[in-house]
Amino acid sequence: MEVMEAPFAQEFVRMAYEGWKQGWHECNGGNLSYRLRSEEIAQVAECLTPGEWREVGEGAKAPGVAGELFMVTAAGSFFSNMERVPERCAGIIEVDASGTRFRQCWGFAEGGRPTSELPSHLLNHESKKAATDGSSRVVYHAHPANLIALTFVLPLEGKAFTRELWKAISECALVFPQGVGVLEWMNPGSVELGRASAELIREHDAVVWAHHGLICSGDTFDAAFGLLHTIEKASEVLVKVRSMQPTMESFITDDNIRTMSEAYGLGIKL
Ligand code: 2HA
Ligand code: ZN
């Protein structure tokens, strides 16, 4: 079948477009990648026309995803155009046997190439694939405004940042009992940012990039999107509360979080 008839490709485009509608993808901000299943590769195999091998860059090496195929957004592409011209805004790549090179197999029309954050995506996929026994398939990076705003006022430390989010909305402890990781500002698109994220995402599923955005992983498009959405919703609540007055009259307490952890088997240790 045509790539854009395949359910994984349709879900990819739908999720990217939903992110645009949420306001998380100004200009060409954000990027998305999906690791294909073997049956999905078979569905679109006749449309794949591999090009030249190219370096992932700057010594990036992800042997844990060697030989895998990914659908990824194109560098410089606007999520707002994803539904209209998916073959220009995204493409499919194959990673070589060493995990240091890739080749473009479909899409990236009009001379495009994969996202500038490709090192982050491949390193994060490698990390999550190993940590989840292969169930994790989606890596999503976006620029949600409230979360970014919080990185200017909260400590850039995972435990403290997580606790603020957990205390804002009950749903947070349920959706991300493993908390979020937090990185100080790092150069966008760099392998260092990719490596540091991959280290934290192994345990957290979501890593905050200070003054930049967030990177999330999930087994499904819904899981990755929902995680980012929940974190951004809690961030919005915190921004509103902190804008109204400097202190909170009440909030979700450590005991409340322990109660939820016990009731839902979340395994949270405070
Ligand atoms: O412009 O989001 O982090 C794409 C990005 C870089
Ligand atoms: Zn970004």
Side-chain angles (χ1 to χ4, degrees), residues 4-16:
M4 284 318 305
E5 287 168 7
F8 76 84
Q10 291 181 358
E11 283 228 18
F12 183 102
V13 167
R14 190 181 70 86
M15 170 167 162

Side-chain angles (χ1 to χ4, degrees), residues 30 117 141 143 209 212:
E117 299 287 4
H141 164 58
H143 299 167
W209 292 354
H212 180 163

